[in-house]
DNA sequence: AAATATACCTGACTGC
DNA sequence: TGCAGTCAGGTATATT
């Protein structure tokens, strides 16, 4: 689920907890993608979150001498509760604050992670990441340059975090539709102008989705428990055999790299 | 080096 | 009802 807009929505939802002292940590299930550190409580209890950043799909929270590195995997989300409530199934972690509020991590599939690092920039999970899509570092020149000499499909390349971070299956499909580019084109076949269109499409759709609180398909909720409303603006994702909003033709579905791709054969060449 | 397959998990849904 | 199979927003890791 969570791609860049959903992670950014989560980050913004956590901002009210900045500068609030942590007074307890409850780990009910440490076995996520990687285990939650045994010493998490001693790392954070008595300290405050001083900064909340996002790098790609990772949330970074500065506390004590280092940073929590958090990823929502496929099905994770954080809830911010104003007072204690009994935990539900798959509520794996609580961070309780002195004022009675608590942050609760929920993740049925447990593909997410909660790690701690003194220097997250150098952490193996982050060190090799590509540029942020919503910065000037992600531009037509960059994309065109980095697509040279590779035969992989452009849709797969867009989802490669070493090329650009934050774009997952939903936004790769959506951006390619907006840019009018067929998902099976090789990255190498894109012209500079098509790279320009694609960069713009990625940025426009990510920004719009952030404005809408992200996309909720199944699990995703913001920290206030609300779903994201970008789903109703999806042009092709999960619209197989439905009518293209632009030309009225039939949206097609195919598998690429074992992930579903959706596209309009008339509008995307 | 790059392309492909596998693995980690639960839950919802489909077809027999 | 039950059971097997498929699919789902991610991505590190192992294998060709």
């Amino acid at each position: 689920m969570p791609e860049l807009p959903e992670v950014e929505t989560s980050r913004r939802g956590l901002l009210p907890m900045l500068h609030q002292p942590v007074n307890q940590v409850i780990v009910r299930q440490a076995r996520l993608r990687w285990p939650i550190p045994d010493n998490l409580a001693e790392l954070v209890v008595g300290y405050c979150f001083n900064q909340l950043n996002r790098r790609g799909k990772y949330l970074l929270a500065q506390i004590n001498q280092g940073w929590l590195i958090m990823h929502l995997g496929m099905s994770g989300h954080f809830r911010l509760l104003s007072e204690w409530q009994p935990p539900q199934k798959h509520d794996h972690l609580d961070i309780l604050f002195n004022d009675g509020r608590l942050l609760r991590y929920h993740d049925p599939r447990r593909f997410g992670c909660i790690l701690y690092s003194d220097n997250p920039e150098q952490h193996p999970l982050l060190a090799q990441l590509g540029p942020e899509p919503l910065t000037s570092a992600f531009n037509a020149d960059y994309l065109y340059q980095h697509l040279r000499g590779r035969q992989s499909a452009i849709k797969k390349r867009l989802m490669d975090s070493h090329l650009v971070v934050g774009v997952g299956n939903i936004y790769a499909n959506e951006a390619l539709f907006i840019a009018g580019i067929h998902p099976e084109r090789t990255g190498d076949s894109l012209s500079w102008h098509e790279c320009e269109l694609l960069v713009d499409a990625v940025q426009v759709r990510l920004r719009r989705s952030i404005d809408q609180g992200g996309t909720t398909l199944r699990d995703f909720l913001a920290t206030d428990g609300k779903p994201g409303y970008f789903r109703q603006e999806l042009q092709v994702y999960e619209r197989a055999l439905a009518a293209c909003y632009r030309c009225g033709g039939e949206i097609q579905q195919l598998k690429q790299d074992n992930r579903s791709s959706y596209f309009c054969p008339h509008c995307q060449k």
Side-chain angles (χ1 to χ4, degrees):
Chain A
M1 161 223 36
E3 304 182 36
L4 187 149
E6 294 75 36
V7 178
E8 179 60 20
T9 296
S10 299
R11 188 189 72 83
R12 294 177 182 186
L14 298 188
L15 289 174
M17 301 326 294
L18 283 174
H19 314 303
Q20 302 292 320
V22 172
N23 89 358
Q24 193 184 351
V25 168
I26 301 171
V27 178
R28 297 186 195 80
Q29 170 61 277
R31 300 188 57 186
L32 305 182
R33 177 77 195 259
W34 296 281
I36 295 175
D38 290 338
N39 61 344
L40 182 65
E42 57 191 83
L43 289 168
V44 304
V45 169
Y47 299 94
C48 299
F49 293 113
N50 298 303
Q51 288 186 63
L52 273 168
N53 297 340
R54 178 188 55 71
R55 178 75 174 99
K57 299 175 188 170
Y58 292 93
L59 279 171
L60 303 175
Q62 200 286 317
I63 189 165
N64 193 357
Q65 301 298 306
W67 297 73
L68 288 182
I69 299 175
M70 299 171 278
H71 196 289
L72 303 178
M74 287 278 264
S75 57
H77 65 76
F78 282 100
R79 289 293 305 277
L80 185 52
L81 303 176
S82 58
E83 58 188 26
W84 178 257
Q85 290 177 25
Q88 307 292 305
K89 197 173 183 183
H90 307 306
D91 286 344
H92 305 311
L93 170 73
D94 287 351
I95 296 176
L96 292 78
F97 295 84
N98 282 2
D99 66 4
R101 287 184 288 177
L102 61 138
L103 198 54
R104 179 166 278 175
Y105 181 65
H106 175 92
D107 185 2
R109 295 180 71 178
R110 289 192 273 127
F111 288 172
C113 65
I114 312 281
L115 301 171
Y116 189 83
S117 169
D118 294 332
N119 188 354
E121 307 270 308
Q122 302 305 315
H123 191 281
L125 289 171
L126 304 184
Q128 309 299 323
L129 294 178
E132 288 289 327
L134 297 178
T135 66
S136 59
F138 182 59
N139 57 50
D141 284 332
Y142 170 86
L143 184 59
Y144 184 75
Q145 197 63 34
H146 288 264
L147 291 176
R148 295 306 91 209
R150 297 280 213 103
Q151 295 309 301
S152 307
I154 182 58
K155 193 242 181 177
K156 183 185 175 183
R157 299 290 286 122
L158 261 190
M159 294 173 66
D160 179 356
S161 63
H162 303 295
L163 180 69
V164 61
V165 296
V167 181
N169 205 31
I170 294 177
Y171 300 100
N173 280 298
E174 294 295 307
L176 286 165
F177 173 80
I178 298 297
I181 298 167
H182 194 293
E184 288 184 302
R185 291 268 300 280
T186 65
D188 194 64
S189 75
L190 267 62
S191 67
W192 188 92
H193 178 60
E194 286 174 320
C195 289
E196 187 179 39
L197 291 174
L198 187 51
V199 165
D200 190 59
V202 166
Q203 294 181 335
V204 164
R205 290 288 82 188
L206 290 179
R207 286 201 189 96
R208 174 62 183 168
S209 183
I210 291 170
D211 288 345
Q212 296 297 96
T215 301
T216 296
L217 295 177
R218 280 163 279 276
D219 303 320
F220 181 71
L221 296 174
T223 56
D224 58 6
K226 291 181 181 164
Y229 297 104
F230 190 70
R231 186 179 191 178
Q232 54 202 85
E233 299 187 23
L234 295 176
Q235 302 293 300
V236 290
Y237 190 81
E238 286 194 329
R239 297 197 64 243
L241 305 184
C244 172
Y245 293 132
R246 187 187 292 170
C247 75
E250 216 171 60
I251 302 298
Q252 302 293 305
Q253 177 175 5
L254 55 82
K255 284 277 184 198
Q256 288 180 278
D257 212 40
N258 224 23
R259 309 296 297 277
S260 283
S261 294
Y262 303 86
F263 67 102
C264 171
H266 179 258
C267 296
Q268 294 174 255
K269 301 297 183 188

